[in-house]
Amino acid sequence: MGSILVVTEILGGNISDTSRELLSKARELSQALSGEVVAVGFGSQAAQALAHIDADRAIAVTGQAVEQYLPLVYERSLLQALEQESPQLTMVANTTMGLDLGAGVAAGRGVPLVAYCNALTVDGDEIVAQSQVFAGKLLAEVVLPREEAVVTILPGSFPASMVEGHPTITAMEAASVPGMALIQILAPEKSDVDITRADILVSVGRGIQDPENLTLADELAEAIGGVVSCSRPVVDAGWLPKARQVGKSGQTVKPKLYLALGISGAPEHLQGMKDADLIIAANTDESASIMDVAHYGTTVDILDLMPALTERLRGE
Amino acid sequence: MRILVLSKSVPDLVEELALDEDNGELLHDDMTYVPSEWDDHALEEALLLKEEVGAEVTVLAVDTGDVDNMLFTALAKGADHAVKLTGDFDLATSNRKRAQAIANYLRDNTFDLVLSGVQAIDDIDGQIPAIVAGLLEWPHASVVTEVSIQGEQIHFRQEYGGGLQAEFSAQAPLVLGIQAARKPPRYASIAKVRQMMKSSTVDEIDASADTVPELEIRRFFKPVAAGHAEMIEGDPEEVADRIITILKERKLVRG
């Protein structure tokens, strides 16, 4: 049978937690399919970072052009590796890098892709993938072709592999492609407020409707001794700064209390807050995904609820 | 600078998704479709570039049966041209097939920059901008938040987790999946859209229907949630009372 190829991400000399999640599932699939697990990593630290992972073989792509993430060079280099390996399945995390590489190499190889995958099982000699679509409202069960396919995996879908292995490591020279260059890496913008340190977050989403209504959230946060955070649409609308954003491309938070106000709970948002000690959600749609992770929920209008809470907290 | 903006419509999540639960099929004709919100951001970024450097903006949609209003709205917002790729397409057409038709169009028509939403809520088989770029072997990047034209170079910012970003420069042609425009997408009044419908046209181009790798979707189904919130009933005052009680019990507020 074919091999399972795992594209790893290396941060500060170590492979990411999400890469370890992919490796644990890859090992499980390879055992069922009697194939090999082959990991690919990029940069001068790759050989060392991949040395003890649970894979049968590892390819360390090296060269000046892959020292920092550069979409074009990474994609062409990965295509080189896929040309050599022709794996039955290529697993990429649904991160920024995975969004670039997954669809790009699937098209380049002329093979299908399953995006937003959160489960993979073996059925006979076929691999069945589950894709989380429509902001988590539906799942699709998809049969992968026996020859070759690519899946992009949602972080947190599988347990991280802690198994130590001794893969045979080979080096591969990075593809040489001009046309795209890194200008600078921009650190997260500084903010007077660090939402990751707050015990209580008053978090607002699209349901806030109008920037003027943010005053209600500010007043509630002040009364409860918390900080205002938000979901992506509020930042994209320019109503709150990026430093206040909870979720995949924002901050991961674990407060004692997370008040989710007018937040529907897209998978990218849930990823950043689902481990809060207590989650209370207000959303007019009782079937919204946020209600699946919240401990308590209500469908009353947040524009009525926020002042009612503030009033009580102030002892009025 | 010629910019192509790819747009598609997706089921409106404000309404219940229409699913035949017995055979796990989506009932596309029973759902209301709206423009994908990320595509709106891609159009906005293109229109900002038009204002800054005088780019010519063309908006494109694959004719899945309901795209005219979306295209005229883009024209009303300031796009210069609208193109509809016609052929064997409907609401169930896969992204891979749409991307192949778009790639074929791009082989015959010269553009410097292609912008599209980084993703859509129904991307089971992958995100259109990255597939288009992969088919054409063009450079591309996803999760982009800021684009600027600096001489012959296109500069853009890409976002990673934890608020980290990087700035890149690239040569045309380039495909970018836009996460968010620099400004909230502009609004076009219904009156202006109606006016566009009378005064402008959508170019219809017959797109060849290639055979593409398709996924075998066994079924769609609703997830069984591991848990669900305990719902607090009542009017806002009653709900607020109950929440305060819960917070007091957990010593999260004084009292």
Side-chain angles (χ1 to χ4, degrees):
Chain A
M1 290 304 296
S3 56
I4 313 280
L5 188 139
V6 175
V7 180
T8 63
E9 295 188 37
I10 295 163
L11 306 161
N14 296 304
I15 71 161
S16 72
D17 290 347
T18 309
S19 297
R20 289 192 181 277
E21 293 166 13
L22 269 53
L23 283 168
S24 76
K25 179 50 82 170
R27 177 54 78 200
E28 182 194 316
L29 294 174
S30 75
Q31 282 165 351
L33 295 165
S34 318
E36 281 185 313
V37 175
V38 182
V40 176
F42 299 86
S44 57
Q45 294 178 314
Q48 202 180 350
L50 300 174
H52 301 295
I53 61 165
D54 184 21
D56 299 298
R57 289 188 292 119
I59 299 168
V61 181
T62 53
Q64 191 55 38
V66 290
E67 276 311 298
Q68 301 283 355
Y69 179 56
L70 190 55
L72 178 62
V73 176
Y74 271 51
E75 180 171 312
R76 294 295 155 80
S77 302
L78 179 57
L79 279 167
Q80 251 175 224
L82 291 174
E83 185 70 28
Q84 179 186 303
E85 297 292 330
S86 296
Q88 181 175 0
L89 185 68
T90 298
M91 297 171 71
V92 191
N94 190 65
T95 55
T96 297
M97 177 170 137
L99 280 166
D100 284 345
L101 300 183
V105 301
R109 296 284 295 162
V111 302
L113 166 82
V114 178
Y116 315 131
C117 176
N118 67 355
L120 285 164
T121 49
V122 174
D123 185 359
D125 61 349
E126 288 177 323
I127 301 173
V128 179
Q130 184 174 285
S131 168
Q132 186 187 56
V133 277
F134 301 115
K137 290 195 169 205
L138 287 184
L139 296 168
E141 199 174 279
V142 183
V143 183
L144 298 181
R146 289 183 181 83
E147 300 76 33
E148 187 175 340
V150 180
V151 288
T152 53
I153 312 275
L154 294 173
S157 298
F158 311 121
S161 168
M162 290 302 158
V163 177
E164 193 166 319
H166 301 282
T168 313
I169 298 186
T170 51
M172 176 182 274
E173 185 78 13
S176 170
V177 240
M180 194 185 276
L182 175 71
I183 307 271
Q184 57 174 333
I185 292 172
L186 302 140
E189 63 184 61
K190 290 257 189 308
S191 165
D192 51 335
V193 177
D194 182 356
I195 60 169
T196 65
R197 288 169 165 271
D199 282 340
I200 297 180
L201 286 174
V202 174
S203 208
V204 295
R206 212 187 288 266
I208 196 83
Q209 294 172 34
D210 189 295
E212 287 183 9
N213 294 330
L214 283 171
T215 316
L216 299 174
D218 285 334
E219 286 167 358
L220 174 55
E222 198 193 330
I224 203 170
V227 165
V228 173
S229 60
C230 64
S231 62
R232 174 111 221 179
V234 177
V235 172
D236 288 349
W239 297 346
L240 280 174
K242 182 88 189 156
R244 302 285 184 124
Q245 186 193 325
V246 173
K248 185 176 139 198
S249 59
Q251 304 295 330
T252 298
V253 298
K254 197 178 173 300
K256 288 178 180 158
L257 169 63
Y258 191 84
L259 283 175
L261 305 168
I263 292 174
S264 63
E268 294 84 356
H269 185 77
L270 300 185
Q271 201 180 310
M273 48 63 73
K274 63 181 182 344
D275 294 327
D277 292 350
L278 176 65
I279 300 168
I280 301 179
N283 194 296
T284 49
D285 179 4
E286 192 181 331
S287 69
S289 307
I290 192 78
M291 296 300 179
D292 297 338
V293 301
H295 303 93
Y296 295 94
T298 172
T299 54
V300 299
D301 190 332
I302 61 165
L303 301 183
D304 298 324
L305 181 63
M306 287 191 287
L309 285 170
T310 304
E311 200 178 288
R312 281 157 181 77
L313 290 161
R314 283 177 179 163
E316 286 166 6
Chain B
M1 172 71 51
R2 295 192 70 205
I3 303 176
L4 183 69
V5 178
L6 310 178
S7 56
K8 73 179 262 191
S9 60
V10 293
D12 188 353
L13 288 186
V14 171
E15 294 178 12
E16 190 79 8
L17 290 162
L19 174 71
D20 178 340
E21 297 197 34
D22 292 331
N23 58 18
E25 282 177 19
L26 278 182
L27 304 170
H28 294 277
D29 295 334
D30 293 349
M31 293 190 278
T32 307
Y33 278 68
V34 292
S36 176
E37 59 177 289
W38 289 280
D39 292 346
D40 267 352
H41 279 272
L43 175 61
E44 182 59 38
E45 196 67 18
L47 295 174
L48 291 173
L49 291 173
K50 176 182 173 177
E51 288 161 8
E52 288 156 6
V53 297
E56 186 182 314
V57 176
T58 301
V59 60
L60 176 147
V62 175
D63 183 17
T64 50
D66 62 338
V67 298
D68 284 14
N69 196 53
M70 188 166 75
L71 292 172
F72 282 115
T73 303
L75 289 170
K77 287 180 176 181
D80 300 290
H81 311 285
V83 172
K84 182 161 79 172
L85 299 184
T86 60
D88 181 21
F89 306 113
D90 59 32
L91 289 168
T93 299
S94 69
N95 274 355
R96 196 56 171 266
K97 189 168 176 182
R98 294 174 196 225
Q100 184 67 58
I102 295 164
N104 293 349
Y105 171 79
L106 280 163
R107 284 198 182 99
D108 298 335
N109 296 272
T110 309
F111 287 92
D112 303 295
L113 178 60
V114 178
L115 301 183
S116 185
V118 60
Q119 60 182 0
I121 53 171
D122 61 353
D123 286 338
I124 293 179
D125 65 340
Q127 297 75 18
I128 286 180
I131 301 174
V132 169
L135 292 171
L136 293 167
E137 297 183 12
W138 287 8
H140 67 103
S142 309
V143 202
V144 169
T145 53
E146 205 173 309
V147 187
S148 65
I149 311 299
Q150 302 190 15
E152 294 292 301
Q153 296 283 317
I154 300 162
H155 284 226
F156 63 90
R157 279 190 185 188
Q158 183 173 51
E159 268 191 13
Y160 310 95
L164 195 69
Q165 300 186 340
E167 184 182 347
F168 296 94
S169 70
Q171 289 159 6
L174 175 71
V175 180
L176 297 176
I178 302 292
Q179 173 73 47
R182 282 168 279 158
K183 290 182 180 172
R186 64 194 69 189
Y187 175 76
S189 68
I190 292 171
K192 198 161 182 201
V193 175
R194 285 214 182 107
Q195 189 192 326
M196 274 297 157
M197 286 177 170
K198 284 178 192 156
S199 63
S200 56
T201 53
V202 169
D203 296 335
E204 293 193 16
I205 292 175
D206 186 31
S208 57
D210 304 49
T211 307
V212 297
E214 295 280 12
L215 291 172
E216 182 193 336
I217 298 175
R218 270 192 189 162
R219 62 174 180 134
F220 286 93
F221 61 104
K222 288 185 180 161
V224 181
H228 192 275
E230 179 186 328
M231 296 307 289
I232 306 170
E233 307 297 337
D235 64 28
E237 302 297 324
E238 290 163 343
V239 171
D241 284 337
R242 176 83 180 103
I243 290 176
I244 296 293
T245 307
I246 292 165
L247 299 183
K248 282 180 179 168
E249 281 167 8
R250 298 193 176 223
K251 304 205 179 336
L252 286 163
V253 295
R254 285 187 305 274

